[in-house]
Amino acid sequence: MAVSALYSAYGRDFLVMDLPFLRQIPSADIEALLNVIDKKINSPLTSSTGRLFDAVSAMLGLCLYSSFDAEAAMRLEAVLEDTHPSHEYYPFQIDEEISMNSTFMAIADDIIRAASTTLISTRFHNTIVEIICAAAERLRNQTGINKAALSGGVFMNGYLLEKAEIRLTEMGFETLTHSKIPSNDGGLALGQLMIAAHRRNKLCV
């Protein structure tokens, strides 16, 4: 994911950048991955926020290869500090789509200038909060809907959930969060069971 994000932002120029994590990956593996991306071989686009956390965690050398679900994101969350100002975040673009090329370019710049892992992680988390708020505001303006539901595995991240809920509430949103059902795959599995049970009951009737 880190290679893919940098390739999207810089093209092949990222290969000569002074990013330590790149030296830990065999160049042949990187070339093979770029070939897969170029030819679109088993490489569909993803809209999962978790993959952004995977990319940044790898760029910081915290987790290049996950050995269990959400490992990279957990390692990234573990190094942030709530003492950094919440208004410190990376640039991004939002229109009909959200582009984070400028985000990854700014993170790469921070890594090259030897900014602390803690600072980069915190700024990245703050960036995701800003994106959530900007997207919610944009959709409210378009639809008039004033409810914001925070769901998905990414909201197992305590910092992200707390900051996003506070900001959205301050912006006047009715903010909905999970209380009895987990926001990650556990909740998804329960939803699938409910749909299956409903379909089964309809067939039985």
Side-chain angles (χ1 to χ4, degrees), residues 54-121:
D54 290 345
V56 177
S57 188
M59 287 175 67
L60 292 175
L62 297 172
C63 182
L64 268 69
Y65 303 96
S66 294
S67 57
F68 58 86
D69 187 44
E71 178 184 4
M74 290 167 65
R75 291 184 181 277
L76 189 61
E77 181 185 6
V79 299
L80 67 79
E81 282 187 3
D82 202 0
T83 55
H84 289 295
S86 59
H87 63 265
E88 286 193 14
Y89 57 89
Y90 293 113
F92 60 90
Q93 287 74 46
I94 182 168
D95 195 2
E96 293 303 317
E97 296 182 349
I98 298 167
S99 172
M100 297 189 68
N101 281 345
S102 59
T103 306
F104 284 102
M105 294 173 79
I107 291 172
D109 287 344
D110 269 355
I111 292 172
I112 291 170
R113 71 177 184 82
S116 72
T117 298
T118 292
L119 177 61
I120 294 171
S121 175

Side-chain angles (χ1 to χ4, degrees), residues 93-204:
Q93 287 74 46
I94 182 168
D95 195 2
E96 293 303 317
E97 296 182 349
I98 298 167
S99 172
M100 297 189 68
N101 281 345
S102 59
T103 306
F104 284 102
M105 294 173 79
I107 291 172
D109 287 344
D110 269 355
I111 292 172
I112 291 170
R113 71 177 184 82
S116 72
T117 298
T118 292
L119 177 61
I120 294 171
S121 175
T122 308
R123 283 178 174 171
F124 171 71
H125 278 78
N126 292 341
T127 303
I128 299 300
V129 172
E130 290 299 318
I131 290 172
I132 291 167
C133 293
E137 181 66 28
R138 181 180 176 84
L139 290 170
R140 178 167 61 181
N141 291 338
Q142 292 175 350
T143 66
I145 295 173
N146 199 48
K147 291 182 179 179
L150 304 181
S151 186
V154 71
F155 288 110
M156 297 298 288
N157 182 311
Y159 180 92
L160 194 67
L161 177 61
E162 178 184 359
K163 297 299 182 183
E165 185 174 9
I166 290 172
R167 283 289 312 284
L168 288 167
T169 301
E170 290 174 346
M171 292 167 64
F173 282 94
E174 180 184 349
T175 308
L176 309 177
T177 61
H178 288 257
S179 59
K180 296 181 179 179
I181 298 171
S183 63
N184 62 355
D185 288 350
L188 179 64
L190 179 60
Q192 291 171 332
L193 283 170
M194 292 175 67
I195 292 171
H198 176 71
R199 289 176 177 174
R200 185 169 183 266
N201 288 339
K202 287 182 67 176
L203 289 173
C204 291

